[in-house]
Amino acid sequence: MVSAPALADDLDDQQSDLQNQLQQSDQAIDSHHAELDAATAEVVNSRQALADAQATLAKAQSDRDAAQAVDAQKAADLESAEQELTDAQSAVSLGKDAVEAQQAKAANDMRVAHQQNTGMLSLGMLFVDGQDAGSVSSRVQWASTLYNANSNELNRLTELQLQLQNAQTEMATLEDGARVAREAAAAQLSVTQAAEQAADDAAGQVAGLVAANEAAEANAAQILADERAANESMQAEMDSVTQQIQERNERRAAEAAAAAAAAQAAAEAQAAADAQAAADAQAAADAQAAADAAAQQAEQQSWSDDSYSGDSYYEEPAAQAAPAPAASSSGFPLYMPANGPYTSPFGWRTNPVLGYSELHDGTDIGAACNTPVYAAASGTVTQAIPEGSSGGWGNRVVLDNGVIDGVAVSTGYNHMTNYIVGVGQSVSRGEVIGYIGTTGLSTGCHLHFHVWIDGNVSDAAPYL
């Protein structure tokens, strides 16, 4: 008789396991939420830095505009200074011409005075004999006028020379001022242009940082979305497998119950038949004994001494042995599903792809891609799912291996490069069903091997 598994307990345990896995997935989603929040904070900070850099750039541009205004003023001052210099140069030129003319005029007047000897008259000459007082007075007045004229010319010449000297000095000052103005304007413009370029470069760098942080934020959001999608898909896939196993177990339990009832009915019928046969045999034996006794008595009463009646013997039928129960062939240990070492055991670990702690619900066997994958026990293919529909398990096969040593067993083979069996196909223990790969959520070539015992995902190591 095949015993039915304790389905209610199995379902409760499986529900508890699934709740634990969902809790871990929720924690992973919370972790990715934190990463997204951190990335968003970085974006906010970099945007603030960009605003600061743009403010610095605006200040530099304002300084540049002010410097350009100063430069324009300096240019105007330079133009004015150059105009004043031009005017001064003209004044100097005119002054030189005036001095030269005055010098020529003074020289000519002095020459005329010398020729007439009027400038050398002595007082005695003013009172020569034969001259009256009026004539002398006229001579004195003429000499004084000539002297004053010459003196005025000399003063005018001196004044013009001083004006020329002042004009030359002012011209030199203006030339120096114009040079200083040109140098200051050039230096100021160079500094402000450099500041503007530096501020523009800083703004460009910060804008690049903002773009990078926004990309990181988008990437974190995408990772979170992918994790949620993978979580939902894997959850749906696990629910589907669990549902199939549960339905199979229920079906087997019903079949086992029916078989047990039939066996019980057959046993009861056989017992009734055996009891009836024993009663019939006993009745026949009693009848035979009575007949023998009667015959013996009759023989004793017979007058013929030569007659002989032989004894009759009744043998009870041997009890029929109960049929021995059919021995179920043991499938444990399971056939090694791939040739390679264990690279990650069943249990809690940090997911190598998503980076958070979770229950690793299978046993990883490391081997090169395209290494054969074998059926761990004979059974029927219940699932053969391509990578795009398996929710992160890659190319996946699930086998219903039947009841082994009193427990219902199913096995799963994940991340294969490809599989070579189809749903409903029967496979034998050790038969090649596919090839190792790294499809789905995988970081390298390996087989993720699942074992379900009575509907609960279990550590495969004790059964291999």
Side-chain angles (χ1 to χ4, degrees):
M1 296 175 61
V2 180
S3 62
L7 297 181
D9 292 340
D10 293 343
L11 290 176
D12 290 340
D13 293 342
Q14 187 173 12
Q15 183 182 39
S16 177
D17 290 340
L18 291 174
Q19 287 174 344
N20 289 336
Q21 294 180 37
L22 286 173
Q23 182 179 4
Q24 291 301 314
S25 181
D26 292 339
Q27 291 175 357
I29 290 174
D30 290 340
S31 174
H32 287 300
H33 262 306
E35 293 174 2
L36 178 59
D37 291 342
T40 301
E42 288 294 330
V43 171
V44 172
N45 292 336
S46 60
R47 285 174 178 165
Q48 182 58 49
L50 177 59
D52 294 342
Q54 288 173 337
T56 301
L57 176 59
K59 177 64 168 57
Q61 290 172 337
S62 176
D63 292 343
R64 177 205 59 195
D65 295 339
Q68 288 177 339
V70 171
D71 182 65
Q73 183 60 46
K74 297 272 186 194
D77 294 342
L78 175 60
E79 182 179 2
S80 176
E82 288 178 342
Q83 183 60 48
E84 291 178 358
L85 177 60
T86 300
D87 294 343
Q89 288 172 340
S90 299
V92 168
S93 178
L94 292 174
K96 285 182 178 180
D97 292 343
V99 168
E100 290 175 356
Q102 187 63 32
Q103 286 176 338
K105 184 175 183 301
N108 183 63
D109 289 344
M110 292 298 292
R111 184 169 55 254
V112 171
H114 177 72
Q115 290 174 351
Q116 294 179 354
N117 202 21
T118 55
M120 303 300 293
L121 292 176
S122 64
L123 292 176
M125 294 175 63
L126 295 175
F127 301 100
V128 294
D129 295 339
Q131 297 291 336
D132 56 16
S135 177
V136 172
S137 176
S138 177
R139 284 175 176 265
V140 171
Q141 186 176 3
W142 181 83
S144 176
T145 300
L146 179 60
Y147 176 80
N148 289 334
N150 287 334
S151 178
N152 289 336
E153 291 298 330
L154 289 175
N155 291 336
R156 177 61 178 164
L157 175 60
T158 300
E159 181 182 354
L160 290 174
Q161 288 176 334
L162 288 175
Q163 290 177 354
L164 175 59
Q165 183 178 355
N166 291 336
Q168 290 174 334
T169 301
E170 183 179 1
M171 183 178 69
T173 301
L174 291 173
E175 285 179 345
D176 187 63
R179 176 185 59 78
V180 170
R182 281 193 298 270
E183 292 175 353
Q188 180 68 25
L189 183 60
S190 176
V191 169
T192 53
Q193 286 176 341
E196 180 189 15
Q197 184 62 46
D200 190 51
D201 292 342
Q205 291 174 357
V206 176
L209 179 62
V210 170
N213 287 341
E214 288 176 345
E217 180 185 33
N219 184 58
Q222 186 61 49
I223 289 175
L224 177 60
D226 292 344
E227 164 61 22
R228 283 175 170 166
N231 176 276
E232 293 171 359
S233 181
M234 293 179 72
Q235 180 64 56
E237 177 64 19
M238 183 60 72
D239 290 344
S240 174
V241 172
T242 302
Q243 179 66 27
Q244 291 183 35
I245 292 173
Q246 290 173 353
E247 291 174 355
R248 181 205 64 193
N249 290 347
E250 291 172 358
R251 182 177 66 254
R252 284 182 177 168
E255 291 172 353
Q264 181 67 27
E268 291 174 355
Q270 184 64 44
D274 291 344
Q276 184 62 45
D280 292 343
Q282 185 64 44
D286 292 343
Q288 183 64 42
D292 289 344
Q296 185 177 6
Q297 184 177 7
E299 183 177 359
Q300 290 174 354
Q301 294 175 356
S302 175
W303 58 268
S304 176
D305 293 334
D306 294 333
S307 62
Y308 173 79
S309 176
D311 292 334
S312 296
Y313 299 93
Y314 172 74
E315 293 183 359
E316 288 225 7
Q320 183 176 359
S328 61
S329 60
S330 174
F332 294 131
L334 297 175
Y335 193 87
M336 191 68 176
N339 294 324
Y342 296 160
T343 56
S344 184
F346 182 95
W348 292 97
R349 69 167 191 179
T350 298
N351 188 299
V353 176
L354 302 174
Y356 57 82
S357 178
E358 65 172 1
L359 175 65
H360 185 239
D361 59 358
T363 300
D364 286 351
I365 301 174
C369 280
N370 298 317
T371 299
V373 175
Y374 307 101
S378 299
T380 303
V381 179
T382 59
Q383 288 190 356
I385 306 175
E387 178 181 7
S389 304
S390 67
W393 295 115
N395 294 316
R396 181 184 203 193
V397 168
V398 176
L399 301 181
D400 177 2
N401 303 108
V403 175
I404 302 176
D405 288 356
V407 294
V409 179
S410 292
T411 51
Y413 311 80
N414 305 282
H415 304 306
M416 292 188 290
T417 296
N418 63 299
Y419 47 79
I420 57 175
V421 294
V423 174
Q425 179 179 340
S426 295
V427 297
S428 301
R429 174 187 174 94
E431 181 179 342
V432 176
I433 61 173
Y435 300 92
I436 282 180
T438 183
T439 55
L441 291 178
S442 169
T443 59
C445 297
H446 75 290
L447 173 68
H448 182 98
F449 181 55
H450 272 137
V451 171
W452 288 272
I453 303 296
D454 285 336
N456 295 316
V457 64
S458 304
D459 186 0
Y463 301 99
L464 290 171

